[in-house]
Amino acid sequence: GLEAQTQRQNFPDGFNREQAIWYHHEVAELFFLCGRIGRAAGFDFSSAYWASLERMLEALALLIDPAGNVPALGDSDDAVYLELGLKREVYRNLLGLGALEFKRADFWQRAGGLPDRGQWLAGSEARQAFAVSGEAGPPNTPLPVALPDAGYWILGSRLHEDEEIRILADAGELGFLSIAAHGHADALAVLLSAAGRPILIDPGTYAYHTEAHWRRYFRGTSAHNTLEVDGQDQSLQAGNFMWLAHAPARLLQCRREGQTQIWEGEHSGYMRLSDPVVHRRRLIFDEAQLSLEVRDEIICQETHDVALHWHVDPNCDVCRNYDETIIAAGPFSVRLYMESSSLALSVHRGEDDPPLGWVSPRFDVKLPLTTLRFAGAIRGNTTLVTRIELTRQTNGS
């Protein structure tokens, strides 16, 4: 059964079909522990089983940033199978174990060694058997890169280096099978981090069963960095772990031209409206200028109320200056504004009715964050342009 599920529950590119990174980790951990238990009992799984696990870790190694952060894609319930260390290290622990199992120097570098939990599971002898030099630098990975089956693309610069700029674009499925239990309505969402500092983030999960209106908010479209139309989610929620309708998303193009990276996707989740709407988003990243242009094309005939949300990591400082926002994130400053738009900017933080401006750093915990909201009415085909400009700060600035 486990042999079959390693193939059924994962995409060919290695990411788990739940479209939720915590469950990706949790399933990979289960496969790893079962494999080790089988060996201890004198039975080993097939090479295909271990190859599937290695692909899962390759996907994780792509998504983790230099500081060990991963994007909060989909649901998370903070569950682990063996409580042998700090939960904040679960991703690095898994990559450290994968480095030992598969003799992968890239896993070892992403893990930053082997944290306590990994040492309990691997043992000191296993760790000593595979020593990877810390002097080897990360590979010069050409961007964009992708998990194309899962629907995640990464743009940016200096991937896996200390001053990495990482832009994650989502054109993936809602979730696994028809109920898509752990998926969120986040089609075409964009996440941004710089030098291992999250800047524009996915706010997470918060709760499952205890507070229904918060469950709806955190998995809904307004809690993600994408476009909301007429105050509705892209996909229709039906209970805590079910969706009535999925927003079909797809990639239109992903390429580079010299120092420019271009990504474009679309979804048709709002075709169910009386006046059907298609949302098409194009990202244009200029490596030399460290600038990102986000072009949102709204294809429709009638009038609609639209809102663009940008959720800023709570560890960033945010300063509004009229219709633009300056975000301070460690060694980088970020300027975010819209070009020639009738949409009005409002800033929200820790609001309850309706919910807006919250982050859930772990299960059953929510904290205020700053959410930038550009909202207004559009009529007929409309293009909205958001510019996000990054600047490296010098000492004393």
Side-chain angles (χ1 to χ4, degrees):
L2 282 171
E3 291 264 358
Q5 293 305 319
T6 58
Q7 311 303 317
R8 183 170 184 260
Q9 294 197 25
N10 297 318
F11 290 107
D13 60 23
F15 199 70
N16 186 258
R17 291 182 183 271
E18 291 282 5
Q19 304 287 125
I21 198 164
W22 185 273
Y23 288 97
H24 176 88
H25 145 267
E26 197 169 348
V27 170
E29 181 186 51
L30 173 66
F31 291 156
F32 180 86
L33 291 173
C34 289
R36 284 299 183 94
I37 290 169
R39 284 180 180 170
F43 169 83
D44 201 355
F45 288 86
S46 70
S47 59
Y49 179 93
W50 291 104
S52 179
L53 177 57
E54 186 173 8
R55 287 194 299 273
M56 294 188 77
L57 300 188
E58 288 173 343
L60 178 58
L62 181 64
L63 292 171
I64 198 167
D65 76 8
N69 303 304
V70 298
L73 304 169
D75 275 347
S76 168
D77 65 359
D78 290 356
V80 295
Y81 286 101
L82 286 177
E83 190 75 82
L84 297 174
L86 299 175
K87 284 187 177 180
R88 67 173 179 266
E89 295 181 333
V90 293
Y91 299 103
R92 282 182 156 175
N93 267 296
L94 194 56
L95 287 171
L97 291 169
L100 300 180
E101 176 65 39
F102 302 111
K103 305 297 185 290
R104 293 283 297 263
D106 56 337
F107 290 175
W108 189 263
Q109 288 176 334
R110 305 293 180 272
L114 191 62
D116 289 345
R117 188 164 177 269
Q119 294 193 44
W120 279 108
L121 291 174
S124 59
E125 292 184 4
R127 185 186 186 283
Q128 293 167 4
F130 181 55
V132 178
S133 171
E135 299 178 359
N140 182 18
T141 305
L143 292 168
V145 294
L147 297 172
D149 304 307
Y152 301 116
W153 283 262
I154 296 174
L155 292 73
S157 66
R158 305 181 68 173
L159 188 68
H160 301 310
E161 298 183 34
D162 289 341
E163 289 202 351
E164 164 193 278
I165 305 296
R166 176 182 290 254
I167 301 158
L168 186 142
D170 180 356
E173 299 176 9
L174 179 63
F176 192 35
L177 303 179
S178 61
I179 64 170
H182 293 299
H184 287 189
D186 57 0
L188 307 190
V190 172
L191 308 181
L192 171 68
S193 67
R197 294 283 298 266
I199 301 173
L200 301 175
I201 66 169
D202 185 316
T205 300
Y206 180 49
Y208 280 167
H209 298 287
T210 53
E211 300 183 70
H213 69 292
W214 288 109
R215 175 64 170 157
R216 287 193 299 272
Y217 168 70
F218 274 97
R219 68 204 293 240
T221 298
S222 64
H224 298 88
N225 300 326
T226 187
L227 180 79
E228 181 188 56
V229 178
D230 293 338
Q232 299 190 34
D233 291 332
Q234 305 159 340
S235 299
L236 287 175
Q237 300 189 40
N240 290 333
F241 295 97
M242 188 175 292
W243 298 82
L244 281 179
H246 299 202
R250 66 187 182 113
L251 175 74
L252 298 178
Q253 62 170 317
C254 186
R255 57 189 171 86
R256 66 178 298 131
E257 297 178 355
Q259 289 189 299
T260 301
Q261 301 165 33
I262 300 169
W263 177 94
E264 187 173 12
E266 71 174 19
H267 81 81
S268 53
Y270 291 119
M271 290 295 287
R272 69 179 188 269
L273 301 179
S274 58
D275 175 51
V277 175
V278 171
H279 176 206
R280 185 173 296 156
R281 171 169 276 188
R282 176 181 291 190
L283 307 180
I284 304 172
F285 179 67
D286 186 321
E287 295 179 29
Q289 299 298 319
L290 297 184
S291 67
L292 173 66
E293 179 179 289
V294 183
R295 300 182 67 87
D296 288 299
E297 185 177 357
I298 305 160
I299 303 170
C300 61
Q301 295 183 356
E302 304 297 335
T303 299
H304 296 275
D305 293 321
V306 300
L308 278 171
H309 297 92
W310 298 103
H311 302 276
V312 183
D313 187 86
N315 293 311
C316 296
D317 294 323
V318 182
C319 178
R320 177 180 176 180
N321 183 18
Y322 297 102
D323 291 332
E324 69 175 29
T325 305
I326 305 299
I327 304 168
F332 284 89
S333 175
V334 180
R335 180 181 177 221
L336 188 153
Y337 61 97
M338 291 196 73
E339 288 185 349
S340 304
S341 171
S342 60
L343 272 58
L345 169 62
S346 56
V347 180
H348 305 263
R349 184 174 178 85
E351 299 175 7
D352 293 332
D353 189 19
L356 196 60
W358 295 96
V359 62
S360 176
R362 57 189 182 276
F363 195 72
D364 211 26
V365 172
K366 72 179 191 298
L367 302 171
L369 59 59
T370 299
T371 295
L372 311 176
R373 185 174 191 265
F374 295 89
I378 58 99
R379 181 175 179 83
N381 295 344
T382 303
T383 298
L384 306 171
V385 180
T386 305
R387 295 197 61 84
I388 302 171
E389 300 168 352
L390 294 94
T391 304
R392 287 189 177 89
Q393 299 299 291
T394 57
N395 292 335
S397 64

